[in-house]
Amino acid sequence: RIDGSDINRLNKAAGTDWISIQPETAKMLKMSLDIAQKSGGVFDPTVLPISSMWDFGGSNQHVPAKADIQKFLKDIDYKNLRVNTGNNTASLRNHLMGIDLGAVGKGAACDSAIAAYRSAGADYGIVAAGGSIGVLGHKADGSPWSIAIRDPTTTDSNAAEMGEISLTSGYVSTSGTYEKCFKQNGILYHHLLNAKTGYPENNGLISVTVVVNNGAVSDALSTACFLLGREKSVSLLKAYNAEAIFIDSKNNVYVSDGLKSKFNITNSKFIQKG
């Protein structure tokens, strides 16, 4: 939401005309739309009218009035975001619409950093941005990188790991209830909003980690799979040739087949299932 950015300009032009955007932005919006469509709209890049009301991580985070959520839900619909990657233009159909790419940005930053490593001629490297990590090649000694997965029951002040993934060239993103969250009247509210309801998704999951060959995709998929739940995520992960680790509130861990040989639990309070 930086002044002058493509997304900021697009949000300001909502309900008016198509605007020109950078090719990278058009590509990211198109990818977000694809995941929105494949997730049945629980993940939706046009969630800004409601995410801005919750203000997670801001100075006014609070549970919005139910009437306000109902009022703005009708303005959230990815089908009203139109993107043309042929001439790099985009438009929002209605005035009150807005784009929130918070679920994509950190992964996209990892894509940019790894691309910079490649163009500088680096053989290997690693970058982290928030809950997303990108790795290029093997480590200098030829061994894979070891990526720690956060114990989602810990806070930032006592953060610990629950397991590790061995990885060469790829991206890892995690979405968890411990990230942007607050308590109101003793209830924890986290930032992973279901765009269909306007509320944080409460399906028993506390963390989802996705491994795939694109940073922005890994970031978006970790959110989409959290919102969908484990069973409904299977076809979405398959569509992107992605793997995932799901952790529920009972500390059960579910690992997709392609990751089982590369992941191990390092904290005995977590139990791998299936």
Side-chain angles (χ1 to χ4, degrees):
R1 300 180 211 160
I2 300 160
D3 279 348
S5 70
D6 282 353
I7 300 303
N8 189 267
R9 288 170 46 245
L10 186 53
N11 288 345
K12 281 182 175 170
T16 60
D17 208 351
W18 290 71
I19 68 161
S20 293
I21 55 176
Q22 294 295 318
E24 295 79 14
T25 310
K27 201 172 157 189
M28 204 183 304
L29 288 174
K30 185 75 171 59
M31 178 273 292
S32 298
L33 284 178
D34 288 344
I35 292 179
Q37 187 259 321
K38 288 185 174 79
S39 71
V42 293
F43 172 89
D44 193 318
T46 70
V47 75
L48 183 67
I50 284 181
S51 63
S52 59
M53 279 197 292
W54 285 87
D55 196 31
F56 286 102
S59 57
N60 187 33
Q61 48 187 16
H62 67 287
V63 180
K66 199 170 184 178
D68 289 339
I69 287 179
Q70 292 306 315
K71 180 181 164 187
F72 286 102
L73 264 183
K74 66 182 186 302
D75 297 307
I76 296 169
D77 188 347
Y78 68 91
K79 291 170 188 165
N80 290 326
L81 164 61
R82 298 163 297 181
V83 183
N84 185 330
T85 49
N87 63 3
N88 299 312
T89 57
S91 86
L92 287 164
R93 200 184 292 268
N94 303 326
H95 277 294
L96 294 175
M97 291 184 71
I99 306 286
D100 181 346
L101 286 185
V104 183
K106 293 181 176 67
C110 291
D111 282 324
S112 298
I114 295 294
Y117 287 166
R118 285 186 200 280
S119 62
D123 294 322
Y124 52 86
I126 186 165
V127 61
S132 294
I133 293 167
V135 300
L136 171 66
H138 295 80
K139 286 198 287 189
D141 63 5
S143 65
W145 301 91
S146 185
I147 309 296
I149 303 302
R150 164 92 169 249
D151 173 351
T153 65
T154 59
T155 61
D156 285 347
S157 57
N158 71 340
E161 73 169 52
M162 60 71 58
E164 292 175 353
I165 298 172
S166 292
L167 189 67
T168 55
S169 281
Y171 297 84
V172 181
S173 291
T174 300
S175 290
T177 54
Y178 56 82
E179 291 173 301
K180 292 175 185 170
C181 58
F182 64 86
K183 271 191 176 176
Q184 189 170 312
N185 299 328
I187 298 168
L188 181 78
Y189 296 92
H190 60 78
H191 76 295
L192 298 161
L193 297 175
N194 184 326
K196 293 284 194 187
T197 65
Y199 286 91
E201 180 55 53
N202 182 19
N203 57 12
L205 290 175
I206 54 174
S207 167
V208 175
T209 298
V210 170
V211 181
V212 73
N213 62 0
N214 178 286
V217 171
S218 73
D219 204 355
L221 283 181
S222 68
T223 300
C225 290
F226 185 101
L227 298 172
L228 279 173
R230 187 167 57 92
E231 289 84 0
K232 290 181 181 171
S233 294
V234 174
S235 59
L236 183 63
L237 289 165
K238 204 171 182 178
Y240 289 91
N241 199 22
E243 303 293 340
I245 299 163
F246 297 84
I247 304 174
D248 69 19
S249 55
K250 294 175 181 168
N251 295 341
N252 294 315
V253 183
Y254 300 87
V255 185
S256 64
D257 290 344
L259 263 189
K260 282 181 177 167
S261 63
K262 298 172 186 170
F263 171 74
N264 68 293
I265 291 174
T266 55
N267 183 330
S268 59
K269 79 178 180 188
F270 293 91
I271 302 140
Q272 189 164 328
K273 301 278 189 174

